[in-house]
Amino acid sequence: MRVLFFDIDTLRASHMGCYGYGRDTTPVMDAVAQEGVRFEDYYCPNAPCLPSRASLVSGQYGIHNGIVGHGGTAADMRLQGASRSFTDDMSESGLFMQFRRAGFHTVSFSTFAERHSAWWFNSGFHECYNVGRRGGESAEMVTPQVLDWLERNGEQDNWFLHVHYWDPHTPYRTPADYESRFEGTPLPDDWITEEIFEEHLRHIGPHGANEINMWNDDTFAQWPKHPGHLKSKADADHFINLYDDGVRYTDDNIGQILDLLKEKGLYDEDLAIIITADHGEDLGEFGVYGEHGMADEPVCRIPMIIKWPGMQKGTVAKGFHDNVDLLPTVQELLKVPKFQERYRYDGVSFAETLRSGQDCSKPYAVLTQCAHVCQRSVRFDDYLYMRTVHGGYHLLPDEMLFDVKKDPHQQHNLAEERPDLCAKGAKMILDWNDAMMKTSNYDSDPMWTVMREGGPEHCRGHLKEYMERIKGTPREYGIPLLQEKYGEETK
């Protein structure tokens, strides 16, 4: 058996053809979905990049493994403590180690571990290929290494390849000679009207239309396609085209790998393919462009496509799942026993969904974001309920509720008119939090560690300069609102 794991950074599920998008962004991945199982409501429970992959690899939510942010204490795995032996339990029990224990030769093509000093990510790999750009690379730097490895080793049996692409991640950076597939074509979901974009120009907070580069509108010579600001709805449409180009460019490169396997006669019933992402992207939602800084639907709903030998084909799995579920699923499929019974997996195996279509879903999914804001949300029924502890210098209400089936871009906050659903969502979060803390070996929720250390990493220390920036502009109205909401941080 051979396994290809495509780990795509910032791939928003709703911008893929197989998830209903009206553009031809993902024809290769769509074809794989037809050969396997596509999970409809699959979530990143801890966003963005570092917390998401920590939950993926550890099989634990951030409240257990400790990683919920991009800086400070909450950017590191918790120390195991007195029970640690020669090696620690997470390294021996993680996702990629399951393949190694099952007898696979494991290989990773990724710069993720170096980008975040997250060296635990490499646990379980025999070979690690790092092209040296810490996430700044494009697919044309990664794909040739994968193709070369397959030319040399592809005909061997029992290999596992982890292939990590960054191209949908900001800055949007397809090569200069890569012709846009979408420029000049209408957006499938043209929800950003002229009036809505005018509201976005008055948005208070980072990564708005006026400051694509988080706190300013700087541009960079090495990424000439990525703009520093958006001045019109046409600019916003172009920006979304750039994102879709990054998705299509990734899909093209996946196609190169699959084409080589087909040429070599290796694309067969014995080949497993897993396609997923760490998180999605806000593209105008909450007035935010090109960032994955909320615990919301566009950021946290991610693709999961699995083609596995002898399993279901061309089916769609309904119900809520999240990325901690993959590890126990793989462990069951590969028949690998747990390395340590004391090591807790938070995920629920969906192996039987792959085998027979049985529903293995959860009643709801709890989502946490502590790198750009501090939020905890829950997806249940057709709704997303969000609680904001720190808004990352956006002027967000403390409590929000959206019907994401009718309102996928989260424009209509229903919190005041549906207090019953807010109470339902709040109780789900409270019950979940209590259950997590009861089963934790630690006495703190790392979200509150982030708050005690000064708030989300990506907004620490930027508020004063931001208030200076918006003085004398149409957004100056936001200064007293920021002072009222963020108090001591504005002094």
Side-chain angles (χ1 to χ4, degrees):
M1 182 180 174
R2 304 176 181 95
V3 182
L4 270 174
F5 187 113
F6 290 109
D7 179 1
I8 305 168
D9 221 278
T10 322
L11 178 56
R12 178 169 164 164
S14 63
H15 277 239
M16 299 178 69
C18 59
Y19 281 90
Y21 196 46
R23 280 178 161 175
D24 195 23
T25 48
T26 53
V28 175
M29 289 185 272
D30 296 347
V32 176
Q34 288 297 314
E35 299 174 357
V37 179
R38 178 177 66 80
F39 288 78
E40 179 69 17
D41 290 306
Y42 198 89
Y43 285 84
C44 151
N46 294 94
C49 317
L50 176 59
S52 176
R53 289 199 175 85
S55 63
L56 173 74
V57 171
S58 69
Q60 296 180 338
Y61 297 122
I63 197 170
H64 277 155
N65 68 40
I67 298 183
V68 297
H70 274 177
T73 303
D76 286 320
M77 286 278 180
R78 296 197 197 262
L79 294 176
Q80 184 174 331
S83 65
R84 188 196 195 279
S85 186
F86 194 78
T87 57
D88 67 90
D89 286 357
M90 202 293 291
S91 297
E92 299 289 355
S93 304
L95 175 63
F96 304 126
M97 187 61 81
Q98 306 307 310
F99 292 94
R100 184 163 179 168
R101 292 195 184 285
F104 288 80
H105 183 81
T106 53
V107 186
S108 176
F109 300 86
S110 176
T111 61
F112 175 78
E114 183 181 10
R115 178 179 175 88
H116 287 283
S117 293
W119 302 107
W120 46 261
F121 186 79
N122 290 340
S123 179
F125 287 119
H126 291 97
E127 300 179 56
C128 294
Y129 291 81
N130 179 350
V131 298
R133 295 285 184 90
R134 294 189 172 190
E137 67 273 9
S138 296
E140 73 275 4
M141 298 178 66
V142 177
T143 302
Q145 294 200 25
V146 180
L147 296 176
D148 175 68
W149 192 95
L150 287 170
E151 287 285 5
R152 292 182 287 108
N153 304 288
E155 293 179 3
Q156 301 295 319
D157 200 5
N158 292 333
W159 47 252
F160 169 85
L161 297 192
H162 166 256
V163 182
H164 182 184
Y165 287 120
W166 292 91
D167 298 80
H169 191 288
T170 53
Y172 303 150
R173 54 182 183 272
T174 54
D177 60 352
Y178 185 77
E179 184 176 350
S180 173
R181 302 289 207 282
F182 309 111
E183 206 64 43
T185 65
L187 291 167
D189 180 10
D190 196 13
W191 68 279
I192 302 176
T193 64
E194 294 285 355
E195 293 74 21
I196 288 172
F197 185 74
E198 286 300 315
E199 292 177 14
H200 290 176
L201 287 176
R202 295 190 294 273
H203 175 76
I204 301 298
H207 277 297
N210 297 285
E211 291 96 15
I212 297 297
N213 189 41
M214 197 172 297
W215 300 106
N216 57 55
D217 61 353
D218 290 352
T219 57
F220 302 92
Q222 65 267 42
W223 299 306
K225 291 187 177 182
H226 195 76
H229 57 250
L230 311 175
K231 294 300 184 185
S232 66
K233 171 177 161 46
D235 288 349
D237 292 350
H238 172 66
F239 192 74
I240 296 171
N241 291 340
L242 290 173
Y243 175 79
D244 285 349
D245 283 338
V247 174
R248 178 58 190 257
Y249 186 60
T250 303
D251 193 77
D252 292 346
N253 277 267
I254 291 174
Q256 292 182 46
I257 294 170
L258 300 188
D259 285 346
L260 177 62
L261 292 173
K262 290 172 183 177
E263 291 170 14
K264 297 174 77 67
L266 300 175
Y267 193 96
D268 53 24
E269 289 297 319
D270 202 37
L271 176 68
I273 300 175
I274 301 171
I275 298 172
T276 192
D278 57 344
H279 52 72
E281 187 90 310
D282 277 323
L283 295 166
E285 289 83 6
F286 294 119
V288 172
Y289 286 85
E291 191 50 275
H292 23 273
M294 303 280 176
D296 69 347
E297 183 77 355
V299 170
C300 293
R301 182 176 176 233
I302 58 176
M304 173 53 78
I305 297 166
I306 301 183
K307 169 190 177 293
W308 196 273
M311 302 294 176
Q312 295 276 301
K313 295 183 178 181
T315 62
V316 176
K318 302 288 187 177
F320 296 114
H321 301 80
D322 53 44
N323 76 359
V324 298
D325 296 335
L326 183 61
L327 200 162
T329 301
V330 165
Q331 193 174 67
E332 182 177 344
L333 292 172
L334 298 178
K335 300 178 181 177
V336 178
K338 287 188 72 171
F339 178 75
Q340 283 284 4
E341 282 303 319
R342 67 184 176 221
Y343 186 83
R344 173 190 174 86
Y345 292 124
D346 291 327
V348 176
S349 171
F350 52 75
E352 198 54 47
T353 302
L354 300 175
R355 291 192 189 102
S356 65
Q358 178 180 314
D359 183 3
C360 299
S361 65
K362 304 170 182 177
Y364 55 84
V366 173
L367 318 173
T368 300
Q369 159 81 245
C370 294
H372 295 266
V373 299
C374 280
Q375 288 176 336
R376 193 157 275 155
S377 309
V378 61
R379 268 290 282 117
F380 65 98
D381 301 333
D382 291 342
Y383 297 96
L384 172 73
Y385 172 72
M386 304 176 69
R387 295 185 70 87
T388 300
V389 174
H390 191 297
Y393 309 140
H394 302 278
L395 298 176
L396 299 171
D398 293 344
E399 191 173 52
M400 296 181 282
L401 176 75
F402 302 98
D403 183 336
V404 294
K405 297 300 182 183
K406 295 179 181 177
D407 179 23
H409 302 292
Q410 305 159 163
Q411 295 175 272
H412 308 291
N413 183 6
L414 304 174
E416 289 189 5
E417 59 191 88
R418 293 302 305 269
D420 57 322
L421 291 176
C422 290
K424 183 177 181 179
K427 186 176 187 304
M428 288 177 176
I429 293 175
L430 178 62
D431 288 348
W432 176 89
N433 193 83
D434 286 351
M436 291 296 107
M437 293 307 297
K438 285 177 183 177
T439 53
S440 176
N441 294 323
Y442 307 89
D443 59 4
S444 63
D445 177 345
M447 180 174 73
W448 293 104
T449 301
V450 172
M451 289 298 294
R452 286 196 301 272
E453 293 182 354
E457 166 71 13
H458 292 301
C459 67
R460 293 177 194 169
H462 290 282
L463 185 52
K464 291 180 183 178
E465 66 182 78
Y466 180 70
M467 290 194 298
E468 283 294 321
R469 178 178 174 83
I470 63 177
K471 279 183 180 178
T473 75
R475 293 179 292 158
E476 190 169 15
Y477 77 91
I479 293 176
L481 299 176
L482 288 167
Q483 290 170 332
E484 179 183 359
K485 194 167 188 68
Y486 295 101
E488 288 297 319
E489 297 178 60
T490 66
K491 297 177 180 178

